[in-house]
Amino acid sequence: MATRYSWTTGPVSSSEGLDNVRVEVLNNTSYTRSVDVRLYNLSFTPKRRLVSESFSMAPYSTTTVDIPLEGVERWEVQASAFSRSVRVWVAGRNGRQNLVGNTVLNSELMPF
């Protein structure tokens, strides 16, 4: 049985001007991989899922998911795949510009 690996940004507090979140996913393997990306609004208890996307990625390909996110103060992105070699990068953005403090690199994601 294959092992599913899951990562999270943990809670992120929105910077002023945040209007979208970009999730970049790299399939750094020689196999087609299925990847799940979820975005949660943490302003509620329990947290509310706003977006859930699943997609298939060709070997050594990159996929970009842009999610509109105005008016959300606290959020979290989770991603999962059947390989540790799938890499994820997340950025809170204002238009086309990444916001400092709202960018989470692959090495900063936490397993869960």
Side-chain angles (χ1 to χ4, degrees):
M1 186 169 149
T3 301
R4 179 171 283 279
Y5 298 95
S6 299
W7 307 273
T8 180
T9 59
V12 178
S13 181
S14 296
S15 291
E16 187 173 323
L18 177 101
D19 62 12
N20 69 82
V21 171
R22 172 169 282 180
V23 181
E24 293 272 348
V25 183
L26 167 65
N27 177 8
N28 203 24
T29 72
S30 58
Y31 300 99
T32 299
R33 298 289 181 187
S34 174
V35 178
D36 298 317
V37 173
R38 296 167 302 281
L39 180 121
Y40 293 92
N41 183 343
L42 302 180
S43 299
F44 301 93
T45 303
K47 61 188 173 186
R48 290 187 185 169
R49 185 180 335 189
L50 300 177
V51 174
S52 181
E53 291 193 30
S54 297
F55 43 91
S56 182
M57 295 183 66
Y60 303 108
S61 67
T62 302
T63 299
T64 301
V65 180
D66 286 320
I67 305 164
L69 192 69
E70 288 189 67
V72 176
E73 293 181 15
R74 292 185 314 269
W75 50 275
E76 172 185 11
V77 171
Q78 296 177 354
S80 58
F82 287 105
S83 174
R84 287 185 193 174
S85 295
V86 170
R87 307 288 188 226
V88 180
W89 172 89
V90 179
R93 298 163 51 93
N94 181 335
R96 299 175 69 192
Q97 186 172 18
N98 297 338
L99 296 170
V100 176
N102 284 195
T103 300
V104 183
L105 305 176
N106 184 77
S107 61
E108 299 170 324
L109 292 173
M110 298 172 285
F112 74 97

